[in-house]
Amino acid sequence: STGKLISFTLIDETASIRATMFNGAVDRFNETLVPNQIFTVSGGQVKNANKRFSNVNNEYEVTLDESTIIEQCRDGGAQIPQQRYNFVPISVLEKREANTMCDILCVIQQIQDVGKVVVKATGAELVKRTCRVTDKTAAVDLTFWGDQALSFNYPAGSVLAVKNVRIGSFDGCSLSTTMSSTVDVNPNIPDTKVLVDWFQTTNGTDVQSISGRRDMADMDNTMFRGRKFFDDIQAEGLGRGEKADFVDIRCTPFYVRADRINYEACPTCNKKVQGVDNAFRCEKCNREVATPDLRYMCSIHVSDNVNTFWVTLFNEAGEQFFGMDAKKLNQEPNLQQYLHSRLLQPVVMRLRVKEDRMGQDSEERIQITCTRIRFVGGEGDAKINAAFPDEL
């Protein structure tokens, strides 16, 4: 069915409650309701709260109709109560049920361009903008929709208190705003300064993202084959089955192909964009890209003291190995010196092993891709090691 709906949170000095109104009530009160102003509300139906659509800390919610009386108070503005949040650490979102709601306090790490998607069922075109946000426990992709996506003008490093976002399970764990979501930028609370100080020191590189982790599902099941040497891959026929195999190998990187470390990617789909007449175009999305992202795709030569192998690093593993994102590395004034500083340090790599055909007429070859890295001893990188489980 079709209709109109408004959902908002009412706060007084004692508690918060979710309020909803439909159709005629929306027409009557839509222009009256102004955020952060004081109102008296009379009338409405109280019912048990539906926790699937709200995480307001109240067992009840209220539905308002056309007979409700809503009047704005003209004094007492200094007594407006603050918004109440139930912040959840990003790292625990994977354990929450999909399609439930939560509040998060986070800092913006990366921002994608505005993109468009078409709803298959209706053919409607929706506008979205996805950001990578992080706290001190993990990072996650947060998607803003509609007017929130178009009006988004918060720079990277801004702290967001986001209320009532929906937890999704697409490509790992993700978050999406809803009609009832609200965003407070750089809120005046003590935790904001703590988060800003942490991000300015680390740039968020000491935590792992819980989004875009399709390989993790494979690693957690029977496709993980344990600690190996490179020679074991050939001897045991790893990667030749229907699914990829995953192994851990302790090795030492000794060479990086510095001529090809990153590529210009579409912010929406991460595919490589093509340069056309001083502009960029994504063939997959069939659109021009104003400012492409830089993402890692590089090859490093490693040795396990028995044999050597070329290993491919994509974006997440690249950030872990180089200690920064691809854009920042591209701006490094002493690039060659910095690349050398990352070599000759022992690491443990989690590798995806799969036999693939390269080109139409070429033979099948084993492709080895690193999905995550942990430095072992020596100089290491404590901030990277902290993001990995001990068993790696």
Side-chain angles (χ1 to χ4, degrees), residues 54-298:
S54 171
N55 69 324
V56 176
N57 188 22
N58 200 316
E59 294 300 316
Y60 301 96
E61 60 187 26
V62 60
T63 300
L64 309 178
D65 56 30
E66 292 181 72
S67 65
T68 300
I69 300 174
I70 300 178
E71 296 179 343
Q72 185 173 358
C73 297
R74 299 302 177 183
D75 55 2
Q79 303 301 317
I80 298 175
Q82 284 191 330
Q83 175 69 277
R84 292 182 175 87
Y85 294 97
N86 298 307
F87 291 129
V88 176
I90 292 176
S91 61
V92 308
L93 296 180
E94 289 182 303
K95 302 176 183 178
R96 295 290 186 95
E97 184 181 351
N99 295 320
T100 56
M101 314 299 286
C102 71
D103 301 344
I104 62 167
L105 182 70
C106 58
V107 59
I108 301 174
Q109 191 174 30
Q110 299 173 7
I111 306 169
Q112 296 184 5
D113 288 339
V114 172
K116 295 181 179 180
V117 295
V118 177
V119 181
K120 291 183 179 180
T122 63
E125 189 176 71
L126 301 179
V127 178
K128 71 168 188 173
R129 186 194 293 267
T130 299
C131 303
R132 176 66 57 87
V133 298
T134 182
D135 63 12
K136 297 172 73 173
T137 68
V140 68
D141 287 349
L142 169 62
T143 299
F144 295 84
W145 295 92
D147 291 340
Q148 287 183 325
L150 293 173
S151 62
F152 186 99
N153 61 354
Y154 321 126
S158 299
V159 174
L160 305 180
V162 191
K163 187 169 186 62
N164 232 32
V165 287
R166 188 184 305 278
I167 301 172
S169 56
F170 173 74
D171 199 9
C173 182
S174 60
L175 296 173
S176 292
T177 59
T178 67
M179 289 185 296
S180 61
S181 300
T182 60
V183 180
D184 188 7
V185 185
N186 298 320
N188 186 23
I189 56 177
D191 287 341
T192 296
K193 186 179 186 307
V194 174
L195 201 54
V196 168
D197 291 344
W198 166 78
F199 188 75
Q200 289 178 345
T201 302
T202 68
N203 202 35
T205 57
D206 59 348
V207 296
Q208 192 173 14
S209 172
I210 59 175
S211 300
R213 298 174 62 180
R214 291 173 180 171
D215 286 342
M216 299 299 179
D218 290 330
M219 286 184 238
D220 290 339
N221 61 27
T222 57
M223 307 316 293
F224 177 61
R225 305 304 184 188
R227 183 72 66 90
K228 301 288 182 182
F229 288 95
F230 282 116
D231 285 351
D232 295 330
I233 294 175
Q234 176 93 21
E236 299 179 17
L238 299 180
R240 301 183 186 277
E242 183 179 348
K243 295 183 178 180
D245 290 311
F246 293 86
V247 298
D248 284 351
I249 292 183
R250 177 175 173 140
C251 56
T252 302
F254 62 89
Y255 182 76
V256 178
R257 287 196 60 175
D259 58 327
R260 289 191 299 177
I261 294 180
N262 52 51
Y263 69 99
E264 293 171 324
C266 171
T268 302
C269 68
N270 296 330
K271 297 296 184 182
K272 185 176 181 179
V273 297
Q274 305 297 324
V276 180
D277 297 331
N278 297 322
F280 299 94
R281 180 170 180 80
C282 176
E283 296 299 333
K284 180 178 179 181
C285 297
N286 192 28
R287 70 181 184 94
E288 289 190 356
V289 176
T291 306
D293 290 340
L294 277 183
R295 295 180 64 85
Y296 284 111
M297 184 174 67
C298 64

